[in-house]
Every structure is written in C-alpha cells, then in structure tokens.
Amino acid sequence: MEDLPGQSAPLVEWHQHLDGWPGFHSFQSRYLKLTRNHATAVDCATQCGLGCPRKVVTHAPNDIVAVCPEREEKPYPLKRQDTLIYSVNRPALHKDICSALGIDHRESKVDGCRHTWCIGDYIPAAGYVFPVFISFQKESDEIVEVVRTLCLNQSNSFALIISTRRSFTPEAENMLNRHGSLLLTLGEELLFSNKGKLQAVRQVSDVFAIFQVDTPSLTPTKKFATPRGTKWSDIQIRFLESPTVYMKKQNIYVSTSIRVTVGNVDRVISCEEAGMARKDNKMPKDQWILLYGFAKQKGRLDWSSDHPPEQVVKQKQGLSKSLKRFFDLDGSPIDDWDKEEQCYRCRFRILPESDENY
C-alpha cells in the first residue's frame, strides 16, 4: 500500500508489491475491485537499475509483452489479466479498519492532503472525541507534510494511520508528540483472520492508550440549585463547544455540556447530570439533541430546522418535562406552536457558545 499510494495499479504490480505478504489473497478478494481499464505500461520487474516503466505491447490476445523503452533488457511475457487495472475498494477497506479498531466510522477527504482521509472518530467515553485519519504516502517528506497540515488544522488530539514506519521520520514523530496525537500503522496493528477479515492485534484500549480517560460514575443531579423566585426568563443556557459526541442517527456532532447561569448561580452541566443521557452508554437523549437544536437557532425552532417535524412535538414534550424537573420550576419552558411566526420558542435564553449576545 505504501508503494502504491494511488491505490490503483495493474494486477501484475499488485503482485510485485504485495505477493510476499501472507494476507495478500484475502486482501485481493475483499478489497481490490476491477476497473474497465488496461495498463499501457507496467513497472519493470528486472534489476537493470534504470527503474523505468515497461511499455505493454499486444501482438495478439495471447501474446502480450513488457518492452523496455531503453532496450536494456529483453521483453518478458505478460498475461492478459496482468494488465487489468485494479483499484482499492476504499470505503470497504476504511469501514473494516474502523470496525477492527473500534472507530466510529464516518468518511471524508482531507482538503490539501493527497491520499488522505478522515475515516472516523475514536470515542473512549461520552464527551471525548478523537478524529482518526488515514494517509497513504510513499516518501518521508510527504508524510511530514500530511502531519504538519493535520496538526495545524486540528485543535484536538488525533490519530494518524499509515501503512508502515518505513518512511516515518523523527520530524513527523516530534510534531505528533507535541500535538498530543498518535501514530498507528496498518502493519503493526492489523492482520487478516482465518476468515479473511481484518482484526486488531491488540486490545483497542491498548491501541489508543493515550486517549483513555477516567470516567468515574456520576450520580445525575436531581435538580439545579435554582434560586427562589426564578422565572424561566431568568435562566441563561449556553452550549459549550467541547466536548462533543458524534450522533450517527442524526449525522451531527453535539456538545454534551452546557453552562447554566441563573442570577449568581453559574454551573457547567453535562447531559447526564441534567438527566438527558442514556443510562447504557451516557450518550445524549433526543431531548438533549432538541435542546441543542434550539441553541443553534437562538431559542426558536421552525420547520426549516434539521429536526423532523413529526418528531419535534413528542420530543418537545419530553424536553419540557426534563427541564421542569431539573430546574424545579412550574409552567412550560417552551411556548406552544406560534401560528403567526410558525415556530416554537423557548421562554429561557439559550445560545451556542460561539454567540456572545444573549
């Protein structure tokens, strides 16, 4: 993979680079897909030292040869299947890597970095999200540039997966260490099982040891210390920008903490402390996601929001119940549907952290 960063090559080159690898046949059957193209040139398989590609010359369907353009070596025969171009089924490979390493899969190309993708997030606990990137580079300076770009663009720690350590330099390692980020290699962390599937060599918690966090059991706060005489309009809620979790169902990142200010009382509250997290995995419930939706739109929600209209009514009832219980206040915290303005509106003040104006 390191020698073929473009991940597309004639079959003869895949064999040249990976045939000695015990997992090659499993890799070929699972992750190489045939394209419609035939190679017009192939890497030279001789030891002439020039390293120039050989031209593919077809004299007849069963008479195909690789010709040296410098005439330094004699032509050698090729089979027709040798010239068929195969490319990596990248989504399948990335998805299986994520499955083997306990990574929450989501895929996107990294702008400004060739052959580099974000393949998902490692989430050791609710509220802790570490992006995972994979990059296929051949030269050490290319890896250094990828590491530099990721370190500049990522405010939080991340993991970078490459094929092997062959071209990984101390310069790249130092940049990752200073950033608090992690390097992983496919060659060290993964192998093919007897069933031809990728599996981790180590426990996932050991692979991502530097990202592990202590998560003591929290007893959800029954009620906020709401001052006597407080009205809903006295409450200010601001979502914090981090930590966040990825909600696969909604395909969004949601902050798991809010800052609540009521008079002189100011506290940072997690979704679990507010009673709006699942008991099994501490992930936010639908009511919390709806509250986050209100924050993004400064306390109002209409049909143009990301929340399906048929679900908002029920979730709004659940959110109102949770807020009344948490703040120990009577009355509805969210107005009924405003027919004139076509929206729901919060009676308290709520914003994302990036907006400073209540």
Side-chain angles (χ1 to χ4, degrees):
M1 297 290 285
E2 201 165 48
D3 291 329
L4 299 168
Q7 301 181 346
S8 183
L11 185 61
V12 65
E13 291 183 18
W14 284 110
H15 278 291
Q16 283 176 223
H17 293 288
L18 299 177
D19 215 9
W21 174 40
F24 173 68
H25 294 294
S26 296
F27 178 85
Q28 179 183 0
S29 62
R30 192 169 181 85
Y31 301 120
L32 290 187
K33 59 181 180 180
L34 180 64
T35 70
R36 297 180 179 181
N37 301 320
H38 289 260
T40 57
V42 296
D43 286 347
C44 183
T46 66
Q47 302 297 321
C48 70
L50 295 177
C52 50
R54 291 227 172 186
K55 183 179 180 181
V56 175
V57 178
T58 303
H59 298 296
N62 294 324
D63 184 10
I64 304 174
V65 292
V67 177
C68 176
E70 301 298 329
R71 308 296 180 182
E72 292 290 332
E73 296 284 344
K74 294 180 180 179
Y76 56 79
L78 294 171
K79 297 178 182 178
R80 184 177 182 278
Q81 66 186 41
D82 290 335
T83 67
L84 299 177
I85 294 180
Y86 285 78
S87 64
V88 171
N89 186 345
R90 193 175 297 114
L93 175 62
H94 292 176
K95 188 174 182 179
D96 283 0
I97 291 172
C98 288
S99 178
L101 294 178
I103 300 165
D104 194 48
H105 179 251
R106 64 177 178 89
E107 187 153 341
S108 62
K109 188 75 175 65
V110 177
D111 292 337
C113 292
R114 295 176 66 246
H115 311 313
T116 304
W117 296 263
C118 177
I119 60 173
D121 300 296
Y122 178 66
I123 306 174
Y128 296 87
V129 181
F130 300 96
V132 181
F133 299 88
I134 191 167
S135 187
F136 298 98
Q137 307 297 334
K138 191 172 183 180
E139 305 297 334
S140 59
D141 58 340
E142 294 171 336
I143 294 179
V144 168
E145 189 58 33
V146 168
V147 171
R148 180 180 291 111
T149 300
L150 293 178
C151 288
L152 288 173
N153 292 337
Q154 297 297 312
S155 57
N156 296 327
S157 300
F158 62 87
L160 172 63
I161 300 174
I162 60 177
S163 298
T164 72
R165 293 181 182 269
R166 187 179 69 186
S167 299
F168 189 65
T169 63
E171 181 183 1
E173 184 175 16
N174 290 336
M175 282 192 288
L176 285 176
N177 289 341
R178 287 196 300 269
H179 195 269
S181 295
L182 174 68
L183 178 84
L184 302 172
T185 70
L186 297 176
E188 294 171 349
E189 302 297 347
L190 296 175
L191 54 77
F192 277 97
S193 68
N194 294 333
K195 297 181 179 180
K197 290 188 176 181
L198 285 174
Q199 66 180 36
V201 174
R202 300 185 287 166
Q203 293 289 329
V204 170
S205 58
D206 292 334
V207 174
F208 295 100
I210 69 170
F211 295 156
Q212 300 308 311
V213 294
D214 293 327
T215 54
S217 298
L218 297 175
T219 301
T221 303
K222 297 296 183 181
K223 294 179 181 179
F224 183 79
T226 308
R228 182 173 297 181
T230 296
K231 303 184 293 293
W232 285 111
S233 58
D234 299 326
I235 296 174
Q236 299 179 358
I237 297 176
R238 188 187 301 278
F239 268 84
L240 304 185
E241 292 183 344
S242 64
T244 61
V245 294
Y246 178 65
M247 306 302 296
K248 194 170 185 177
K249 177 182 176 183
Q250 293 84 4
N251 192 30
I252 58 171
Y253 281 87
V254 175
S255 172
T256 59
S257 297
I258 54 176
R259 179 177 294 278
V260 179
T261 305
V262 184
N264 294 326
V265 181
D266 185 84
R267 284 186 57 196
V268 173
I269 305 294
S270 69
C271 58
E272 183 180 14
E273 292 174 302
M276 286 185 266
R278 293 169 57 92
K279 293 182 179 180
D280 55 350
N281 59 10
K282 308 297 189 291
M283 295 290 278
K285 290 182 177 179
D286 288 341
Q287 298 101 301
W288 184 268
I289 297 172
L290 182 62
L291 185 66
Y292 185 69
F294 273 112
K296 290 199 300 181
Q297 297 197 32
K298 301 183 179 181
R300 67 191 304 276
L301 206 65
D302 55 31
W303 292 153
S304 67
S305 72
D306 297 331
H307 298 268
E310 66 275 8
Q311 297 180 12
V312 169
V313 176
K314 184 177 180 180
Q315 292 174 1
K316 179 248 183 188
Q317 294 172 350
L319 174 58
S320 296
K321 185 177 179 180
S322 295
L323 291 172
K324 289 171 66 176
R325 180 176 61 247
F326 180 65
F327 288 105
D328 195 21
L329 289 178
D330 294 326
S332 177
I334 303 172
D335 286 330
D336 291 332
W337 180 256
D338 189 318
K339 294 182 179 179
E340 183 175 339
E341 295 193 16
Q342 295 289 295
C343 70
Y344 287 111
R345 191 183 302 278
C346 296
R347 291 183 176 178
F348 51 90
R349 288 174 283 180
I350 182 168
L351 288 173
E353 190 179 52
S354 57
D355 196 323
E356 295 296 329
N357 297 315
Y358 269 115

